[in-house]
Amino acid sequence: MSEMVFQTNLERKIIENEEFLNKAESLLPVLNESYITPIQLVEVLPNKKKIHGWEVRSRDSVEQLSKMDFGKGDQVILDFGEHLVGYVTINITPVGSPPDAPLHLKLTFGEMPIEVAEDFSTYNGVISSGWLQEEVVHMDILPGILKLERRYSFRYMKVEVLATSPKYKVQFQKVVCKNVSSADLTAVSKLEHADEMLQRMDQVSIKTLVDCMQEVFEDGPKRDRRLWLGDLRLQALANYATVKNNDLVKRCLYLFAGTPDDQGRLAANLFIQPSVIADDTYFIDYSLFFMDTLVDYFHETNDLVTLTDLWSIAFKQIENSLQFLDSNYLFKGEGFFAFIDWAEGLHKETATQGILIYVMKKALSVAHLVNKSHKLLLEETIPLLVEASKKYLWDSEKQLFVSGPTKQISYASQVWMVLAGVLSAQKAKETLEKLPSTDAIEPATPYMYHHLVEAYLVAGDRESALDRMKTYWGGMLEDGADTFWELYNPKNKSFSPYGHHLINSYCHAWSCTPTYLIRKYNM
Ligand code: RAM
């Protein structure tokens, strides 16, 4: 499992482009702040029918909080009524004798009920438990204001008193969260959809996007709190359809372009603090998507300066990928070479071949504006890749694309070949229609579901697209989502590729695209 989740490249050397990084720095957004207070006190009780087996029930009105005394072993769960990303302060006053010992408190933050219901010490997943949102503090001076320095991503906050003293208790007089986001909601046009579920889906998508928009487009404000290229590409699309903060897309493009390695490779993700650091994870698909994100950005803004500035590094990703073609023009990869999806056992070469064609076609749509020889190369190479896909990867008996020596059938392979336009629309529709009756590897993430829905739309099958959106993102809504989740498997709601669903992110960038799909395709 851990091998599948992680990749290390300790040998690579980063060649920073200062000009690009300076440009990115000049586009650093100002965060908008709002102050949010809890709406009710709740309890979280076991209920097998609810997601992860936990149900939230109202316990008291929030006005009661300041009248309640808390001593050793007491606890309270506050519900802020919506998902927040921000900084919490609590005014704490002692009651009883003068406080003769420090107050010892534990705070736990949950995007989901399970996070404030289950003890984190049971967590045994492969991703660091450091992401689990909890904090233990001492207050030596009372009354006082507890000001948490860490940013949390949550709707629920549990406060547990680990110790006061036999002589005093405490009251929590005022609890406030300074909520932050760089998104400006004024640009969002109102959607009045006749279908209530789609209306709600649009709102929850926008909320997801907004909460992930910080100094960069983060993948998830709880985890990993960083800039992933694959997520950025989808966030940018949702952004164009709604908040239109196009400078943030530009900033993120310059950040990636400013940190290639000595082979010109762009990292799959960047850390932003203390300064921009390229992670040592490289995925062919994500690096190719730099070109796609750049071209989308150009189509949206007509910003030819940025397109011209970043074209070479974008094209370098295509050139690097072409080196992995065999003599038949088939992409060959080893190890954890591409992301594609978290579906277990997924063979990724055919999907990667599809992505390569898709991205090269996208590059070709603007190449005449920037580089004539690249245009020629694309024109010559794309047909070779398409022909090779039809000749070697299409199984004429099954009428499906296959991947690898076992001729694996997956949604991912069909979806990317459809998005790459390798099949006619009619053939694409038939291919996708066939999938449910096969044992094809299914999508595992909202990321892959997004591509499946878009593939249906490209193939002209609006009905299946809508159907999938309603069962998938609609399923999350029915399970209580107020922001969309990193992982969701309607057949196994505890699914996590990381070994435990406590660590999953429940406000996740790559899940924010229904607003784009609804608005762009008039769903
Ligand atoms: C996870 C995150 C992130 C994604 C990568 C590949 O760490 O969910 O969003 O892009 O996987």
Side-chain angles (χ1 to χ4, degrees):
M1 163 81 74
S2 58
E3 258 176 43
M4 197 193 99
V5 175
F6 302 110
Q7 194 194 111
T8 43
N9 282 289
L10 298 174
E11 304 303 315
R12 62 84 209 245
K13 274 196 198 74
I14 296 295
I15 314 288
E16 285 195 356
N17 181 320
E18 233 179 275
E19 188 196 321
F20 287 173
L21 290 179
N22 286 340
K23 238 187 199 168
E25 184 60 28
S26 72
L27 294 163
L28 179 74
V30 175
L31 298 183
N32 302 313
E33 299 173 357
S34 54
Y35 291 84
I36 315 283
T37 53
I39 59 155
Q40 59 173 343
L41 311 185
V42 296
E43 47 192 356
V44 184
L45 303 166
N47 181 344
K48 287 208 174 76
K49 290 197 189 123
K50 298 285 179 183
I51 186 95
H52 307 145
W54 294 101
E55 180 186 5
V56 176
R57 288 223 203 116
S58 188
R59 177 183 142 183
D60 239 320
S61 76
V62 74
E63 288 73 33
Q64 293 307 311
L65 180 66
S66 58
K67 297 176 201 138
M68 293 163 121
D69 296 346
F70 292 89
K72 182 177 169 135
D74 294 335
Q75 66 158 62
V76 64
I77 301 174
L78 309 180
D79 173 11
F80 282 75
E82 60 177 320
H83 186 271
L84 301 175
V85 181
Y87 302 87
V88 168
T89 51
I90 311 178
N91 288 26
I92 305 176
T93 44
V95 284
S97 299
D100 56 339
L103 167 66
H104 196 190
L105 275 186
K106 180 172 170 190
L107 300 140
T108 310
F109 295 85
E111 294 183 321
M112 293 294 281
I114 186 177
E115 292 162 276
V116 286
E118 284 184 20
D119 196 335
F120 290 168
S121 64
T122 60
Y123 172 73
N124 58 0
V126 284
I127 285 196
S128 168
S129 61
W131 290 115
L132 297 171
Q133 304 185 100
E134 65 181 351
E135 179 157 350
V136 174
V137 291
H138 287 90
M139 296 274 291
D140 292 305
I141 302 169
L142 290 170
I145 299 176
L146 174 62
K147 203 168 172 210
L148 300 183
E149 295 300 323
R150 286 196 79 210
R151 196 194 73 191
Y152 288 103
S153 177
F154 67 104
R155 171 171 170 173
Y156 306 104
M157 179 176 96
K158 180 164 72 178
V159 184
E160 291 171 272
V161 177
L162 301 180
T164 47
S165 91
K167 293 186 65 178
Y168 84 100
K169 291 189 175 186
V170 287
Q171 288 182 342
F172 303 112
Q173 298 296 357
K174 201 170 149 201
V175 185
V176 184
C177 175
K178 181 175 84 181
N179 188 56
V180 290
S181 164
S182 57
D184 176 6
L185 283 165
T186 51
V188 184
S189 61
K190 206 157 179 225
L191 182 83
E192 305 270 9
H193 210 292
D195 185 317
E196 248 177 65
M197 184 188 263
L198 291 187
Q199 176 78 22
R200 171 104 183 105
M201 207 181 282
D202 181 69
Q203 282 165 5
V204 173
S205 304
I206 296 172
K207 175 76 175 141
T208 308
L209 173 70
V210 165
D211 285 2
C212 292
M213 286 174 72
Q214 302 295 332
E215 289 187 351
V216 293
F217 282 98
E218 293 184 10
D219 64 328
K222 166 184 158 185
R223 208 215 81 241
D224 306 328
R225 298 169 66 147
R226 74 186 74 138
L227 175 59
W228 281 89
L229 236 171
D231 299 69
L232 168 65
R233 168 172 161 266
L234 298 189
Q235 284 169 299
L237 294 176
N239 167 76
Y240 303 140
T242 56
V243 294
K244 299 185 177 36
N245 193 342
N246 299 347
D247 270 358
L248 191 64
V249 180
K250 182 174 172 183
R251 165 168 155 80
C252 294
L253 287 169
Y254 275 98
L255 284 171
F256 276 110
T259 48
D261 75 356
D262 49 355
Q263 300 164 46
R265 292 186 303 172
L266 297 182
N269 70 84
L270 305 180
F271 305 96
I272 308 303
Q273 297 287 355
S275 57
V276 185
I277 300 169
D279 189 17
D280 62 345
T281 300
Y282 291 86
F283 294 143
I284 289 277
D285 49 346
Y286 274 28
S287 54
L288 282 168
F289 286 141
F290 183 82
M291 173 63 92
D292 192 45
T293 313
L294 177 62
V295 176
D296 284 342
Y297 169 81
F298 172 70
H299 286 320
E300 191 63 29
T301 59
N302 281 321
D303 177 353
L304 191 57
V305 176
T306 298
L307 180 70
T308 313
D309 252 8
L310 304 185
W311 176 265
S312 303
I313 191 68
F315 198 78
K316 183 74 184 153
Q317 310 312 304
I318 294 178
E319 288 172 327
N320 282 348
S321 308
L322 293 176
Q323 287 173 11
F324 291 94
L325 297 182
D326 70 5
S327 53
N328 291 324
Y329 284 90
L330 293 177
F331 183 90
K332 297 286 162 196
E334 266 173 40
F336 194 1
F337 65 90
F339 171 64
I340 312 289
D341 191 24
W342 279 128
E344 223 176 300
L346 180 66
H347 193 278
K348 299 178 177 176
E349 281 177 358
T350 295
T352 307
Q353 175 103 1
I355 290 173
L356 184 52
I357 298 168
Y358 164 87
V359 168
M360 288 172 81
K361 285 186 174 175
K362 205 71 179 276
L364 184 57
S365 73
V366 294
H368 62 283
L369 299 170
V370 260
N371 191 309
K372 299 250 155 55
S373 68
H374 287 168
K375 177 175 178 268
L376 274 179
L377 190 135
L378 290 165
E379 281 169 345
E380 277 165 15
T381 319
I382 293 169
L384 299 172
L385 282 156
V386 171
E387 281 321 303
S389 307
K390 289 184 180 163
K391 190 168 170 193
Y392 300 106
L393 303 175
W394 177 255
D395 186 317
S396 53
E397 215 175 282
K398 295 188 176 113
Q399 293 285 301
L400 289 165
F401 285 100
V402 293
S403 194
T406 65
K407 296 186 181 284
Q408 185 189 79
I409 301 168
S410 67
Y411 275 71
S413 295
Q414 320 308 316
V415 162
W416 277 112
M417 284 298 174
V418 168
L419 292 174
V422 171
L423 300 173
S424 68
Q426 181 53 31
K427 195 77 205 152
K429 186 165 181 267
E430 288 166 18
T431 305
L432 295 172
E433 260 165 10
K434 210 167 286 146
L435 281 169
S437 61
T438 67
D439 56 1
I441 298 210
E442 294 188 6
T445 57
Y447 176 77
M448 195 62 225
Y449 270 97
H450 162 86
H451 295 112
L452 175 61
V453 170
E454 196 144 49
Y456 283 130
L457 291 167
V458 164
D461 186 355
R462 286 176 66 87
E463 209 180 305
S464 299
L466 198 59
D467 198 50
R468 286 287 183 167
M469 285 175 72
K470 288 194 159 190
T471 50
Y472 195 68
W473 282 275
M476 284 193 234
L477 291 178
E478 277 161 12
D479 278 323
D482 47 16
T483 48
F484 285 126
W485 306 336
E486 177 189 19
L487 284 318
Y488 183 63
N489 179 350
K491 295 181 196 152
N492 170 15
K493 294 183 183 175
S494 297
F495 169 71
S496 172
Y498 320 120
H500 202 298
H501 50 285
L502 261 179
I503 208 80
N504 292 357
S505 150
Y506 293 93
C507 172
H508 211 72
W510 68 19
S511 207
C512 76
T513 58
T515 185
Y516 155 79
L517 296 164
I518 293 167
R519 287 166 187 249
K520 169 161 181 204
Y521 293 98
N522 291 317
M523 302 292 284

